[in-house]
Amino acid sequence: MHIIRYWNEMLLDPRLLRTFVAIVETGSFTLAAKRLNSTQSTVSQHLGKLETAVGHRLIERADRPVGPTPAGGRLLGYARRLLALQDEAKAILADPAGTTTIRIGVPDDIVNSAMSRQFAQFAERHREIRLDVTTGLSRDLTRRFRAGEFDIAIVKEAVPSGDARASFAEPLAWFEATDRAQPWPDPIPLVTFPPGGLYRDLMIERIERAQMRWYIAFTGNSLGSVLSAVEAGLGLSVIPNSTTASHAVQISTIFPAEPPLVLSIYAWEPGGTTGELVNAMTNTLFGRSK
């Protein structure tokens, strides 16, 4: 019951706690008033209200310098912690960092070092904005962008929509390990992304159109895992030409070159900081497509 009464009264009033701590730390009502830029009368009133609230004397007024009573000593540590938490909360709320979020959806292979640097530089320029970047399959990213889950999305598609901010050709090819010399067996082993991926569907459709047999030898959730599997000789895969430079893979002659996909960037807001980020991302995509 005492705890409930303290809570409902003024025990946690930071003005009273701050006055109490100042009196203890300075050992004087006069010095406490100077520290708080207040008057000695106000300091005495604040202490009286706090003592009434807790039901105990907190300061031995007869001592010189004045000091806490046993009850005041027990309260002192809690008072300092409560005041520190309050100051920390004020500092956090005063700091604009992360008060706005820009949600971005991109295919896995787009988040290379150049694009990551753009994100980092943008975040450094705009501490008030928190970037929330999600990688995924283009079809899922398109659906989520249209549903309003992303502010910006980069997707791969056959034909760009009319509201695309920019589009770039994404040349594709069938790739195999560089040390591959013999013909591929029947059925053909494929290295793919999970179901629903554009490359996976393109590969299966192309092989079935050629009336050839196939099986999934490896499914990777990232471009890095797919490239590593191709490099190791686990199978064939359709991969963007621009992503293979650092891997021991080569274009396979088993099929003719595939028509390029389109790499498009979409955003709901054309201007402001979102537009600034879209322009930076677009410039990075332009450098990637050269």
Side-chain angles (χ1 to χ4, degrees):
M1 294 297 295
H2 288 301
I3 294 174
I4 294 174
R5 178 168 66 85
Y6 293 166
W7 181 277
N8 288 334
E9 294 180 9
M10 303 181 70
L11 175 59
L12 301 181
D13 186 329
R15 296 174 306 159
L16 307 187
L17 293 175
R18 203 173 295 280
T19 297
F20 167 63
V21 171
I23 294 171
V24 174
E25 291 182 348
T26 63
S28 164
F29 283 74
T30 302
L31 295 178
K34 289 182 179 179
R35 173 188 286 191
L36 298 172
N37 195 26
S38 183
T39 64
Q40 186 171 338
S41 173
T42 300
V43 167
S44 296
Q45 290 175 11
H46 282 181
L47 178 63
K49 288 180 180 179
L50 185 60
E51 289 178 328
T52 299
V54 302
H56 294 282
R57 283 190 311 110
L58 300 174
I59 295 293
E60 293 287 4
R61 291 163 173 79
D63 292 347
R64 290 295 181 271
V66 299
T69 65
R74 291 196 299 271
L75 176 62
L76 183 59
Y78 291 102
R80 284 171 171 156
R81 285 158 57 188
L82 288 168
L83 292 172
L85 284 172
Q86 184 194 45
D87 291 341
E88 182 180 339
K90 286 182 178 179
I92 290 173
L93 293 174
D95 187 348
T99 54
T100 303
T101 300
I102 296 180
R103 302 159 301 169
I104 307 166
V106 292
D108 176 74
D109 61 292
I110 297 302
V111 189
N112 54 20
S113 58
M115 187 64 74
S116 296
R117 281 195 301 272
Q118 289 291 359
F119 292 151
Q121 290 168 4
F122 179 87
E124 187 175 347
R125 291 195 303 272
H126 300 282
R127 293 189 63 252
E128 76 281 8
I129 297 176
R130 178 171 61 87
L131 296 184
D132 183 353
V133 182
T134 300
T135 62
L137 299 176
S138 287
R139 284 173 176 151
D140 290 338
L141 297 175
T142 298
R143 174 185 57 78
R144 294 181 65 182
F145 174 76
R146 296 301 176 190
E149 295 182 35
F150 295 127
D151 302 295
I152 303 172
I154 296 175
V155 301
K156 298 180 182 185
E157 52 195 354
V159 179
S161 298
D163 60 341
R165 301 294 175 186
S167 295
F168 305 91
E170 178 81 320
L172 307 173
W174 288 84
F175 281 89
E176 62 187 11
T178 53
D179 57 0
R180 180 90 189 175
Q182 66 271 32
W184 284 99
D186 180 14
I188 300 172
L190 299 180
V191 175
T192 74
F193 289 92
L198 293 173
Y199 302 152
R200 181 187 180 112
D201 291 351
L202 184 154
M203 291 162 62
I204 294 173
E205 189 278 332
R206 179 68 182 85
I207 292 177
E208 292 187 342
R209 184 156 32 97
Q211 298 184 338
M212 302 172 69
R213 297 189 303 159
W214 58 273
Y215 70 94
I216 302 297
F218 181 90
T219 299
N221 287 313
S222 68
L223 179 69
S225 63
V226 167
L227 279 166
S228 294
V230 172
E231 189 175 39
L234 289 178
L236 280 162
S237 189
V238 170
I239 302 171
N241 295 27
S242 61
T243 64
T244 62
S246 61
H247 288 78
V249 296
Q250 65 185 7
I251 294 177
S252 174
T253 58
I254 190 171
F255 295 115
E258 297 294 334
L261 289 175
V262 174
L263 191 60
S264 302
I265 184 167
Y266 294 90
W268 293 113
E269 296 293 334
T273 51
T274 299
E276 177 188 338
L277 181 56
V278 168
N279 289 337
M281 295 170 67
T282 301
N283 290 336
T284 302
L285 293 178
F286 177 75
R288 179 180 184 273
S289 66
K290 293 174 67 175

